[in-house]
């Protein structure tokens, strides 16, 4: 066995290799410390004495926030699992008209930010909106003659999040169903199990860890949302953090609220970790063949089409169509030059953040490859834990240590030179890039590390024998071979940063707005027609990784398209 995962350690056994290995471990340790600092800053503030604002919140809105958070987690998680798993099974194991198209289209809601959908549906479903106006005109109703559900409510938020976030479960459940063994399903059939019995008793238990992982992603996205719940008027911890920070100027209370929110985030993370520790099943053969699709009779085929088409329409089709209608009819009235400024700000932030995160992820992944020890594994877990933390919490955690540093520098400069330099870090783009690093490093690392694992370790050994340093191996061997993975990571980060709202809204420098901030501000002022232009730009750019995700999942089993 000459080509093993331990091969890179042979090169690291020399004095030069050990020295380089220690340098990569130091890099990983510094990165882990940088990622952990905002989280630790939040936790430290939990020990601070409660102020008047905290006591006021605790006695007034805290019970409602806790109830809303629990209801959102339970209802959104359950709804997303039901829709995502059911649709994944239909498009993977059955045959009906339009199945291949629907299998792709079910990813589309990932391209529509939840806060944009909230703005669209509130405009469509309000009393003066086209839906209620059409009903009154059609039936001759007047105000008070009919009942119509209130979208600006907790129930509206639950429905919105379900149709916005179910693709996380669908993506992982479909991958799990595509990876299942035909032999196991055929054994179930020989034992007399029907199609649905095989689903409930065989396929679903096998896919449970992946489905639970998707549910954990749904819960984390639900807890992290700010724009949608703020617009719908649903009190949650993210809205309270923002209003406490900006409305009341109470940093300590905002940090303490962030600490409470972290408890719910940890619960979602524990769900995902527990699912990974469940019983695991492995194929005994590397050979695979296309899954046998069961044709559905006409009646059931129509039901399957409707079951898959409805979440697509609600999660993407209707919001995108109405945004296009508003953009054509009204659009942003500030002129193309000003809109171009917002677009440029967004693209510059997203592009630079992608470069920064790819460099950090590549260094972290190579440290794990060069020195695969338990300490390295722990450092990686610390470095990638930020994705589970809501953007508003990260924003507060980033501002606290950077502001402390800025104040210390200003006090020293004023004592030494008579004047201070101002907010060098906390009031600049440095803070924003720091927040993106904490929030999205896991996305970059998982993609880059997956690509790095596909490179044979013997290539590292050959390059080291020829005199290359570990940095040279990364630059001249790995980077060219990882071009596809690096491009994929850059694309995913670019779109994530482009859509990011709470962290950008809190941390951005004064008078530096992005498309997401512009859309939120216009929609908050009930100028949805103007907000539609920026929202459409975000949606169109976000479609790129959605198409890639479908292709990647479909390619996970030979014969799938």
């Amino acid at each position: 066995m000459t080509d093993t995962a331990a091969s890179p350690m042979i090169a690291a056994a020399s004095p030069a290799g050990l020295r380089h290995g220690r340098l990569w471990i130091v890099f990983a340790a510094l990165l882990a410390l940088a990622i952990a600092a905002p989280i630790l800053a939040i936790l430290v503030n939990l020990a601070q004495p409660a102020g008047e604002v905290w006591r006021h919140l605790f006695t007034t809105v805290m019970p409602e926030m806790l109830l809303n958070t629990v209801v959102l987690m339970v209802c959104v998680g359950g709804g997303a699992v039901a829709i995502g798993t059911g649709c994944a099974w239909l498009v993977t194991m059955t045959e009906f008209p339009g199945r291949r198209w629907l299998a792709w289209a079910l990813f589309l809601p990932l391209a529509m930010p939840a806060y944009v959908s909230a703005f669209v549906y509130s405009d469509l479903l309000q009393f003066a909106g086209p839906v209620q106006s059409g009903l009154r005109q059609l039936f001759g109703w007047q105000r008070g003659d009919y009942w119509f559900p209130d979208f600006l409510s907790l129930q509206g938020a639950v429905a919105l999040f379900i149709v916005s976030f179910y693709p996380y479960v669908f993506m992982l459940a479909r991958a799990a169903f595509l990876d299942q063994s035909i032999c196991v399903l055929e054994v179930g059939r020989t034992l007399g199990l029907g199609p649905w019995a095989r689903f409930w008793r065989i396929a679903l238990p096998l896919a449970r860890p992946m489905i639970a992982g998707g549910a954990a992603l749904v819960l984390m996205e639900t807890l992290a949302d700010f724009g949608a719940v703020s617009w719908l008027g649903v009190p949650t911890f993210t809205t309270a953090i923002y209003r406490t920070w900006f409305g009341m100027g109470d940093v300590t209370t905002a940090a303490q609220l962030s600490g409470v929110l972290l408890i719910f985030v940890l619960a979602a993370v524990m769900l995902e970790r527990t699912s990974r520790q469940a019983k695991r099943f492995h194929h005994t053969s590397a050979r695979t063949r296309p899954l046998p699709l069961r044709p559905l009779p006409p009646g059931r085929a129509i039901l399957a089409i409707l079951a898959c088409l409805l979440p697509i329409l609600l999660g993407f089709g209707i919001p995108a169509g109405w945004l296009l209608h508003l953009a054509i009819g009204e659009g942003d009235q500030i002129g193309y030059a000003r809109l171009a400024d917002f677009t440029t700000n967004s693209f510059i932030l997203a592009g630079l953040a992608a470069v920064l995160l790819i460099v950090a992820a590549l260094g972290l992944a190579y440290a794990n490859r060069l020195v695969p020890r338990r300490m390295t594994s722990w450092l990686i877990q610390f470095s990638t834990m930020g994705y589970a933390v809501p953007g508003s919490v990260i924003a507060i955690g980033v501002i606290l240590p950077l502001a402390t540093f800025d104040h210390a520098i200003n006090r020293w400069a004023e004592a030494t030179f008579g004047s201070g330099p101002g907010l060098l870090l906390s009031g600049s783009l440095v803070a924003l890039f720091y927040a993106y690093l904490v929030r999205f490093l896991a996305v970059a690392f998982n993609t880059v590390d997956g690509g790095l694992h596909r490179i044979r370790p013997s290539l590292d050994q050959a390059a080291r024998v020829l005199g290359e340093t570990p940095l040279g191996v990364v630059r001249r061997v790995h980077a060219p071979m990882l071009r596809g993975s690096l491009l994929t990571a850059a694309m995913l980060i670019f779109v994530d940063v482009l859509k990011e709202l709470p962290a950008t809204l809190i941390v951005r420098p004064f008078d530096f707005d992005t498309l997401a901030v512009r859309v939120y501000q216009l929609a908050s002022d009930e100028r949805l027609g103007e907000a539609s232009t920026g929202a459409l730009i975000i949606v169109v750019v976000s479609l790129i990784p959605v198409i890639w995700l479908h292709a990647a999942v479909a390619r996970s089993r030979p014969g799938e398209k």
Side-chain angles (χ1 to χ4, degrees), residues 490-507:
M491 177 181 61
L492 293 174
I493 295 166
F494 188 94
V495 173
D496 278 338
V497 173
L498 192 68
K499 296 192 298 183
E500 170 62 35
L501 178 62
T504 307
L505 196 63
I506 295 175
V507 181

Side-chain angles (χ1 to χ4, degrees), residues 184-260:
V184 175
L185 296 176
E186 289 178 345
V187 168
R189 184 172 57 183
T190 60
L191 294 175
L193 298 179
W196 291 111
R198 293 198 298 271
F199 168 74
W200 284 107
R201 299 179 62 179
I202 298 176
L204 191 60
L206 290 175
R208 184 177 59 189
M210 294 283 277
I211 294 172
L217 289 174
V218 169
L219 296 182
M220 286 187 282
E221 289 293 331
T222 301
L223 292 172
D225 181 83
F226 166 76
V229 291
S230 175
W231 177 255
L232 297 178
V234 179
T236 62
F237 285 96
T238 53
T239 59
I241 290 168
Y242 180 81
R243 290 167 183 166
T244 303
W245 177 273
F246 283 96
M248 303 178 184
D250 192 330
V251 180
T252 302
T253 301
Q256 291 172 338
L257 287 169
S258 300
V260 176

Side-chain angles (χ1 to χ4, degrees), residues 61-135:
V61 298
M62 185 68 74
E64 185 180 7
M65 287 193 300
L66 288 171
L67 178 62
N68 290 343
T69 302
V70 173
V71 170
L72 284 173
M73 292 180 69
V74 173
C75 296
V76 174
V81 167
I83 293 176
T85 306
C87 290
W89 177 259
L90 287 174
V91 300
T92 305
M93 298 301 299
T94 64
E95 182 61 71
F96 54 90
R99 177 189 67 86
R100 290 183 177 178
W101 181 86
L102 290 170
W104 170 80
L106 281 162
F107 284 89
L108 287 177
L110 288 176
M112 182 67 63
Y115 56 86
V116 173
S117 294
F119 304 149
V120 169
Y121 278 114
S122 63
D123 189 55
L124 284 171
L125 302 177
Q126 63 177 321
F127 180 79
V131 174
Q132 292 200 54
S133 297
L135 289 174

Side-chain angles (χ1 to χ4, degrees), residues 358 361-362 364-366 368-369 442-457 459-460 473-474 477-490 492 548:
I358 285 174
L362 189 58
L364 196 63
Y366 192 63
N368 186 43
R369 183 182 181 92
V443 177
F445 173 79
N446 290 335
T447 306
V448 173
D449 190 55
L452 198 60
H453 272 88
R454 291 193 292 269
I455 297 177
R456 297 169 66 87
L459 294 177
D460 301 48
V473 174
V474 173
V477 178
H478 291 158
M481 298 181 69
L482 286 172
R483 188 173 299 142
S485 296
L486 296 178
L487 181 62
T488 299
L492 293 174
W548 172 87

